[in-house]
Amino acid sequence: VTNLVVRGNRLENLEGASGMRFGASNANLTIENNILRRLGRTGIYMGGVTGAVVRGNILSEMLGVHGNGMSYYETNSNITVTGNCVFGTTRPLTFYGSGTDGVVNNLKFTGNIFVTSDTGRSAVYSWGSTTRTVLFDNNYALGTRAGFILNASDLDVTANRNRTAGLLISGSADTTPSGWTLTGNDNTASYDDAASATLSTSYCSAAGVRGQLTIGVA
């Protein structure tokens, strides 16, 4: 499927089901203004997609063992995830590279709100495997232990002006990996700060480093 638009849908209370899954035959996707709530598995999954914009979606209460909010795995390339809200979820965002095959993933995460459930350790996870070229800019990310848990095996990672409950790098020996850029982040927030945010299935608002982040689905 090429040039697919998935807009304005509501998926909820689906035991054992994912919300939307897109694979290696999909290109130039637009996924926007959808509401996904209480799914047994991952809300929005992409594995091998070439070109996509994911924006203005609100996801909540993904609490299953394999129930992430959003997951971007393996050979995806040129994916922009902007202005989404994922809350009340064990792992709001996860991503994973394709190993050493040289694929440039070019994942961009901008202006999103990611807040875990009260049992979620981190709002953003990298499982590693050499994800190449990842940008985080102006996101709000809170978990009970951290905002981001990134992986030192990834290449060309940039994190600018994010508000987080801590930014941890797995496998880094407490140093920033070569080729990474981490600037202007506020890593002093705590999970309790989410109490001052507005998080609902139709509207989210939270204070980011660059001002208020607001996401609404009509």
Side-chain angles (χ1 to χ4, degrees), residues 37-195:
R37 173 178 173 266
R38 297 189 69 191
L39 309 182
R41 298 186 68 187
T42 294
I44 297 174
Y45 172 90
M46 292 189 180
V49 172
T50 302
V53 175
V54 182
R55 62 188 170 211
N57 302 284
I58 297 181
L59 293 77
S60 62
E61 298 174 78
M62 312 291 177
L63 302 171
V65 173
H66 295 286
N68 307 317
M70 297 181 172
S71 293
Y72 301 90
Y73 288 174
E74 300 180 346
T75 58
N76 291 304
S77 61
N78 300 323
I79 310 295
T80 297
V81 180
T82 185
N84 301 279
C85 179
V86 187
F87 69 93
T89 293
T90 308
R91 292 166 299 275
L93 172 67
T94 66
F95 64 96
Y96 180 81
S98 56
T100 59
D101 61 8
V103 171
V104 177
N105 299 107
N106 193 27
L107 306 179
K108 297 180 181 179
F109 303 96
T110 66
N112 301 286
I113 297 172
F114 298 125
V115 179
T116 72
S117 63
D118 59 8
T119 60
R121 295 172 66 235
S122 180
V124 175
Y125 279 96
S126 169
W127 303 131
S129 199
T130 322
T131 315
R132 287 174 166 82
T133 310
V134 184
L135 169 68
F136 289 97
D137 184 70
N138 192 34
N139 299 283
Y140 178 95
L142 302 183
T144 60
R145 182 185 176 195
F148 293 170
I149 297 181
L150 303 179
N151 194 293
S153 76
D154 295 333
L155 303 176
D156 189 21
V157 175
T158 301
N160 295 329
R161 301 172 294 186
N162 301 284
R163 186 177 182 210
T164 84
L167 194 160
L168 307 179
I169 304 172
S170 175
S172 70
D174 297 324
T175 61
T176 302
S178 176
W180 286 34
T181 302
L182 308 177
T183 59
N185 298 295
D186 176 4
N187 297 316
T188 65
S190 74
Y191 181 71
D192 291 340
D193 292 339

Side-chain angles (χ1 to χ4, degrees), residues 4-12 19-22 29-37 39 43-46 53-60 62 69-70 72 82-87 200-204 215-218:
L4 174 69
V5 178
V6 182
R7 177 187 296 128
N9 300 282
R10 186 179 185 111
L11 306 177
E12 61 182 342
M20 305 176 185
R21 297 181 72 88
F22 305 97
L29 308 180
T30 300
I31 314 301
E32 63 184 3
N33 299 331
N34 300 286
I35 296 171
L36 293 84
R37 173 178 173 266
L39 309 182
I44 297 174
Y45 172 90
M46 292 189 180
V53 175
V54 182
R55 62 188 170 211
N57 302 284
I58 297 181
L59 293 77
S60 62
M62 312 291 177
M70 297 181 172
Y72 301 90
T82 185
N84 301 279
C85 179
V86 187
F87 69 93
S200 77
T201 57
S202 60
Y203 178 80
C204 296
I215 295 136
V217 175

